[in-house]
Amino acid sequence: DAKTTQPPSMDCAEGRAANLPCNHSTISGNEYVYWYRQIHSQGPQYIIHGLKNNETNEMASLIITEDRKSSTLILPHATLRDTAVYYCIVRVPYSGGGADGLTFGKGTHLIIQP
Amino acid sequence: GAGVSQSPSNKVTEKGKDVELRCDPISGHTALYWYRQRLGQGLEFLIYFQGNSAPDKSGLPSDRFSAERTGESVSTLTIQRTQQEDSAVYLCASSLLGGRLFFGEGSRLTVL
């Protein structure tokens, strides 16, 4: 089973910030939080990852709570092309695969409304 | 190419036939993963290869499923005696050890 919990779906207005939550209450100290997204009929795409500090790149920002039990992915100015399923996963880098290594749950289906 | 390449992109087969799905990882990526994604579902881990180490086959759903990879090159996922429940998109991903995953576009398998 996935080690993360996400809402099944969310709506966001175009141009607004989309904030996608993820709970990972059983995360261990050496596990990173990764976010991927999957646009319809495409393979998943990496977005961002982090350990405990907040991270930002050209696609998104990742806010991780101090206790690391939850995080939020922020798309600052959502566009229609951001409509996708967003997956939050936790893993230890430099580890193998396995059922725990990179298990993707059902993610959050983010729908950007025009 | 620069990305992960999978073939065929679409495969329709009859129940009971064997199928082979191919994955060409990004050059230099030591890790290779296979996932299955049924319609409307999340990604289900199948198998993981890392360099010349023994593969992690813990996600394979039955002995009808097998996969091979020679060194750090192409991988083939084989499904024998296909069943209708095998219908899904089969996704391959590669990465550097511990790095982020790069996914292919998947192979859509339909078993009639």
Side-chain angles (χ1 to χ4, degrees):
Chain A
D1 292 335
K3 294 192 260 187
T4 62
T5 305
Q6 300 176 252
S9 65
M10 292 181 63
D11 288 351
C12 179
E14 187 178 18
R16 303 296 294 269
N19 296 276
L20 292 91
C22 180
N23 286 324
H24 30 80
S25 59
T26 61
I27 192 170
S28 59
N30 59 349
E31 287 183 314
Y32 282 65
V33 180
Y34 283 76
W35 284 83
Y36 289 79
R37 75 178 181 184
Q38 187 174 27
I39 295 171
H40 183 61
S41 298
Q42 298 182 20
Q45 173 193 26
Y46 166 85
I47 301 173
I48 199 167
H49 75 284
L51 181 63
K52 53 183 178 181
N53 296 323
N54 298 337
E55 302 288 342
T56 296
N57 63 19
E58 66 278 5
M59 292 182 68
S61 294
L62 174 61
I63 308 298
I64 302 174
T65 57
E66 190 169 345
D67 64 8
R68 303 208 323 121
K69 292 184 177 181
S70 65
S71 60
T72 301
L73 178 75
I74 301 172
L75 307 178
H77 305 287
T79 70
L80 297 178
R81 288 175 293 180
D82 292 322
T83 293
V85 177
Y86 287 76
Y87 298 99
C88 167
I89 61 173
V90 296
R91 74 175 297 212
V92 178
Y94 306 103
S95 68
D100 295 329
L102 267 174
T103 298
F104 289 69
K106 292 188 178 181
T108 296
H109 187 193
L110 175 66
I111 300 171
I112 306 302
Q113 305 283 0
Chain B
V4 176
S5 178
Q6 292 188 246
S7 60
S9 54
N10 279 287
K11 175 71 176 178
V12 180
T13 191
E14 294 179 347
K15 178 182 174 181
K17 300 285 190 181
D18 297 352
V19 296
E20 282 191 354
L21 308 176
R22 176 186 169 106
C23 174
D24 281 274
I26 292 173
S27 178
H29 280 190
T30 56
L32 187 146
Y33 304 76
W34 282 99
Y35 287 86
R36 177 171 70 179
Q37 187 172 34
R38 291 191 167 118
L39 186 64
Q41 303 298 310
L43 278 70
E44 177 185 1
F45 167 78
L46 296 177
I47 189 168
Y48 163 75
F49 295 90
Q50 170 54 47
N52 293 318
S53 302
D56 181 342
K57 304 179 182 180
S58 60
L60 293 178
S62 77
D63 58 8
R64 296 188 296 106
F65 287 73
S66 63
E68 292 184 351
R69 186 186 188 197
T70 303
E72 296 179 0
S73 61
V74 170
S75 175
T76 302
L77 176 69
T78 301
I79 308 173
Q80 295 180 308
R81 305 181 302 281
T82 53
Q83 304 294 313
Q84 289 183 330
E85 62 262 28
D86 299 334
S87 294
V89 175
Y90 290 83
L91 290 158
C92 174
S94 71
S95 75
L96 297 171
L97 178 59
R100 65 191 203 190
L101 270 64
F102 292 80
F103 283 84
E105 294 301 308
S107 292
R108 181 177 299 277
L109 175 65
T110 302
V111 182
L112 301 177

